[in-house]
PDB file of all heavy atoms in Angstrom:
ATOM      1  N   TYR T 247      28.226  50.329 -43.054  1.00 88.00           N
ATOM      2  CA  TYR T 247      27.287  49.290 -42.552  1.00 88.00           C
ATOM      3  C   TYR T 247      26.196  49.218 -43.621  1.00 88.00           C
ATOM      4  O   TYR T 247      25.387  50.173 -43.779  1.00 88.00           O
ATOM      5  CB  TYR T 247      26.679  49.682 -41.240  1.00 88.00           C
ATOM      6  CG  TYR T 247      27.656  49.500 -40.063  1.00 88.00           C
ATOM      7  CD1 TYR T 247      28.203  50.620 -39.417  1.00 88.00           C
ATOM      8  CD2 TYR T 247      27.987  48.248 -39.572  1.00 88.00           C
ATOM      9  CE1 TYR T 247      29.040  50.486 -38.351  1.00 88.00           C
ATOM     10  CE2 TYR T 247      28.867  48.097 -38.517  1.00 88.00           C
ATOM     11  CZ  TYR T 247      29.415  49.231 -37.914  1.00 88.00           C
ATOM     12  OH  TYR T 247      30.223  49.063 -36.845  1.00 88.00           O
ATOM     13  N   PRO T 248      26.089  48.091 -44.392  1.00 88.00           N
ATOM     14  CA  PRO T 248      25.084  47.988 -45.462  1.00 88.00           C
ATOM     15  C   PRO T 248      23.743  47.483 -44.920  1.00 88.00           C
ATOM     16  O   PRO T 248      23.685  46.598 -44.085  1.00 88.00           O
ATOM     17  CB  PRO T 248      25.715  47.003 -46.442  1.00 88.00           C
ATOM     18  CG  PRO T 248      26.569  46.103 -45.566  1.00 88.00           C
ATOM     19  CD  PRO T 248      26.994  46.935 -44.378  1.00 88.00           C
ATOM     20  N   PHE T 249      22.668  48.012 -45.496  1.00 86.00           N
ATOM     21  CA  PHE T 249      21.309  47.495 -45.269  1.00 86.00           C
ATOM     22  C   PHE T 249      20.752  47.180 -46.649  1.00 86.00           C
ATOM     23  O   PHE T 249      20.428  48.088 -47.417  1.00 86.00           O
ATOM     24  CB  PHE T 249      20.435  48.488 -44.523  1.00 86.00           C
ATOM     25  CG  PHE T 249      20.696  48.512 -43.024  1.00 86.00           C
ATOM     26  CD1 PHE T 249      21.835  49.089 -42.526  1.00 86.00           C
ATOM     27  CD2 PHE T 249      19.756  47.970 -42.164  1.00 86.00           C
ATOM     28  CE1 PHE T 249      22.059  49.124 -41.157  1.00 86.00           C
ATOM     29  CE2 PHE T 249      19.984  47.963 -40.820  1.00 86.00           C
ATOM     30  CZ  PHE T 249      21.163  48.529 -40.296  1.00 86.00           C
ATOM     31  N   ILE T 250      20.651  45.891 -46.925  1.00 83.00           N
ATOM     32  CA  ILE T 250      20.284  45.411 -48.270  1.00 83.00           C
ATOM     33  C   ILE T 250      18.807  45.836 -48.550  1.00 83.00           C
ATOM     34  O   ILE T 250      17.908  45.616 -47.736  1.00 83.00           O
ATOM     35  CB  ILE T 250      20.415  43.895 -48.405  1.00 83.00           C
ATOM     36  CG1 ILE T 250      21.858  43.462 -48.067  1.00 83.00           C
ATOM     37  CG2 ILE T 250      19.984  43.422 -49.807  1.00 83.00           C
ATOM     38  CD1 ILE T 250      22.860  44.088 -48.996  1.00 83.00           C
ATOM     39  N   GLY T 251      18.611  46.426 -49.743  1.00 84.00           N
ATOM     40  CA  GLY T 251      17.266  46.714 -50.177  1.00 84.00           C
ATOM     41  C   GLY T 251      16.618  47.911 -49.499  1.00 84.00           C
ATOM     42  O   GLY T 251      15.406  48.146 -49.677  1.00 84.00           O
ATOM     43  N   GLU T 252      17.370  48.705 -48.777  1.00 85.00           N
ATOM     44  CA  GLU T 252      16.815  49.874 -48.070  1.00 85.00           C
ATOM     45  C   GLU T 252      17.117  51.176 -48.812  1.00 85.00           C
ATOM     46  O   GLU T 252      16.916  52.257 -48.252  1.00 85.00           O
ATOM     47  CB  GLU T 252      17.347  49.950 -46.640  1.00 85.00           C
ATOM     48  CG  GLU T 252      16.843  48.833 -45.729  1.00 85.00           C
ATOM     49  CD  GLU T 252      15.366  48.921 -45.428  1.00 85.00           C
ATOM     50  OE1 GLU T 252      14.830  50.025 -45.605  1.00 85.00           O
ATOM     51  OE2 GLU T 252      14.753  47.902 -45.028  1.00 85.00           O
ATOM     52  N   GLY T 253      17.621  51.062 -50.081  1.00 86.00           N
ATOM     53  CA  GLY T 253      17.973  52.276 -50.841  1.00 86.00           C
ATOM     54  C   GLY T 253      16.795  52.735 -51.694  1.00 86.00           C
ATOM     55  O   GLY T 253      15.616  52.464 -51.376  1.00 86.00           O
ATOM     56  N   GLU T 254      17.096  53.429 -52.811  1.00 86.00           N
ATOM     57  CA  GLU T 254      16.048  53.938 -53.681  1.00 86.00           C
ATOM     58  C   GLU T 254      15.356  52.795 -54.420  1.00 86.00           C
ATOM     59  O   GLU T 254      16.044  51.814 -54.836  1.00 86.00           O
ATOM     60  CB  GLU T 254      16.654  54.916 -54.671  1.00 86.00           C
ATOM     61  CG  GLU T 254      17.182  56.203 -54.050  1.00 86.00           C
ATOM     62  CD  GLU T 254      16.066  56.983 -53.362  1.00 86.00           C
ATOM     63  OE1 GLU T 254      14.921  57.020 -53.886  1.00 86.00           O
ATOM     64  OE2 GLU T 254      16.336  57.584 -52.299  1.00 86.00           O
TER      65      GLU T 254
END
Side-chain angles (χ1 to χ4, degrees):
Y247 287 107
F249 280 73
I250 304 299
E252 292 292 340
E254 293 297 323

